[in-house]
Amino acid sequence: MVKLRKTHFYRAFGLNIHSDICLPELVPDISQSQADVHIRYGQGLENISSHASAGQNFIVKDDQVILRGDGFDLAVAGGENLTIHCDNPALHQEPIRLRILGAGIGLLLQQRGQLVLHGATIVGQHGAAVVMGNSGDGKSTLTMQLAQRGYRLSGDDKCVARIDEHDIFAVPCSPFIKVSKKLVAQMDVERSQIHINSALENKVYVDLGPRFELGDVPIIAGFVLGRAARTSVKKLTQRQAFDNFLEHNYRKTKFFKTGLQKTQFLHCHNMANSVPVYQYFRPLKDGHLHQPEPEFLDVLGGIIGNGR
């Protein structure tokens, strides 16, 4: 039998979240508003393990998606409930937290019809830009460097876009950003900002709370990072922009199994029609900190303005 636990209240990803588990990476909701999402502990692995065959770690069943892990599973249902099935939660606390804030919340938002891009969101004087790229392309490092130049953070790893009739807004996610241990050592980061999660092998969380944007901000630009021998910043066509928005849907290969493709296609189409997107190529060497090139900073500042 699961013991009664304290409820934690958060405001993140455009949602009021009530959670059985403490999630220090999220902004507390002091008003304790009515919940949009509940994060709860379930009764144990046996309740859902029968749905999966050996080695299967992503199961779509009815209106829920089940994410299997080592010692715990997450069930994401109806865009409103995220249930942790674990016999010994205390033993898996940090991996559970990491999975909730990663794939768990990402899938839940997609169930709610939100566009979730695998990218960071930075905010300037005139609006926000989403920075997309593959793993290792330096999204989080670039975002950290821009924050140190006065830009604000709206979210790392996930950009949640709210699309209405007139504008596309970036929704504030979390003030924490995951950065390589090697690279954060080369940055001017105070020790008090660095938070360790044992489930992160080569990265740490950095708290950018003072530079976190608490409100929705219009997305007015997109940048796709890539590696090349020489630096270049090139505006993409609308078709190329659409392809990149679709390619950088959060956990794309998994969410396509959930039957939500049509909504995401329409969102990406709206984004491509409304938001100019640029390809930012630069030479990168693993483990070495590269400063943003002036060409990129000029284009970025010309669209979203300087830091504030």
Side-chain angles (χ1 to χ4, degrees):
M1 181 175 180
V2 177
K3 296 179 181 179
L4 292 176
R5 294 176 171 87
K6 176 183 177 181
T7 299
H8 303 270
F9 302 87
Y10 301 103
R11 177 68 185 174
F13 311 101
L15 303 170
N16 300 321
I17 300 172
H18 292 189
S19 176
D20 283 354
I21 183 172
C22 179
L23 300 169
E25 298 84 359
L26 302 184
V27 176
D29 178 15
I30 305 301
S31 66
Q32 300 186 6
S33 306
Q34 182 176 350
D36 300 306
V37 171
H38 290 277
I39 300 175
R40 300 185 175 100
Y41 285 105
Q43 295 296 322
L45 295 171
E46 67 275 5
N47 291 331
I48 59 175
S49 59
S50 60
H51 300 328
S53 59
Q56 189 176 1
N57 59 11
F58 185 88
I59 307 110
V60 180
K61 179 175 172 60
D62 301 325
D63 70 337
Q64 71 175 343
V65 176
I66 299 166
L67 304 169
R68 307 203 68 196
D70 294 330
F72 66 93
D73 295 350
L74 299 186
V76 186
E80 297 180 352
N81 294 288
L82 196 158
T83 305
I84 307 152
H85 296 269
C86 186
D87 292 323
N88 190 350
L91 186 63
H92 304 284
Q93 200 79 358
E94 292 192 335
I96 286 173
R97 206 168 77 230
L98 197 63
R99 183 68 62 85
I100 288 172
L101 296 174
I105 286 291
L107 286 164
L108 184 142
L109 289 164
Q110 288 166 343
Q111 288 178 342
R112 297 178 70 90
Q114 297 284 98
L115 175 62
V116 186
L117 297 170
H118 184 201
T121 313
I122 55 173
V123 179
Q125 296 168 311
H126 308 313
V130 54
V131 179
M132 300 169 284
N134 297 320
S135 296
D137 282 339
K139 299 184 296 297
S140 296
T141 302
L142 177 61
T143 303
M144 274 281 296
Q145 292 171 321
L146 293 173
Q148 292 175 335
R149 290 172 177 265
Y151 288 93
R152 298 179 68 83
L153 172 74
S154 180
D156 172 52
D157 192 52
K158 286 185 287 295
C159 170
V160 180
R162 176 172 64 82
I163 300 175
D164 65 19
E165 294 181 1
H166 305 290
D167 291 296
I168 300 171
F169 295 89
V171 174
C173 297
S174 167
F176 279 66
I177 183 169
K178 287 184 291 186
V179 182
S180 160
K181 292 179 181 178
K182 290 183 179 180
L183 293 180
V184 80
Q186 301 176 41
M187 297 180 178
D188 183 19
V189 179
E190 294 182 10
R191 185 178 294 273
S192 61
Q193 293 179 267
I194 300 173
H195 297 257
I196 305 296
N197 183 314
S198 62
L200 291 171
E201 293 183 4
N202 300 310
K203 294 188 176 183
V204 294
Y205 279 121
V206 177
D207 183 3
L208 293 183
R211 301 230 49 84
F212 183 58
E213 181 65 48
L214 291 171
D216 294 3
V217 181
I219 299 174
I220 58 176
F223 290 87
V224 182
L225 302 186
R227 301 187 183 208
R230 294 185 178 182
T231 297
S232 65
V233 182
K234 173 186 174 183
K235 187 176 181 180
L236 301 180
T237 66
Q238 283 191 5
R239 176 56 187 268
Q240 290 170 327
F242 170 81
D243 289 344
N244 275 283
F245 284 131
L246 191 62
E247 174 64 25
H248 293 288
N249 262 262
Y250 190 76
R251 302 295 176 96
K252 177 174 69 81
T253 57
K254 284 185 167 57
F255 103 79
F256 275 172
K257 301 177 183 178
T258 65
L260 300 172
Q261 298 97 313
K262 183 177 180 180
T263 298
Q264 303 301 314
F265 270 63
L266 290 173
H267 285 333
C268 291
H269 174 76
N270 289 334
M271 288 281 287
N273 284 344
S274 305
V275 177
V277 179
Y278 296 80
Q279 180 84 60
Y280 174 26
F281 281 119
R282 55 186 179 153
L284 287 180
K285 184 178 180 181
D286 293 337
H288 180 69
L289 186 64
H290 291 262
Q291 294 299 323
E293 282 80 359
E295 184 179 356
F296 164 73
L297 292 173
D298 287 345
V299 174
L300 177 71
I303 303 173
I304 72 170
N306 297 320
R308 56 181 184 175

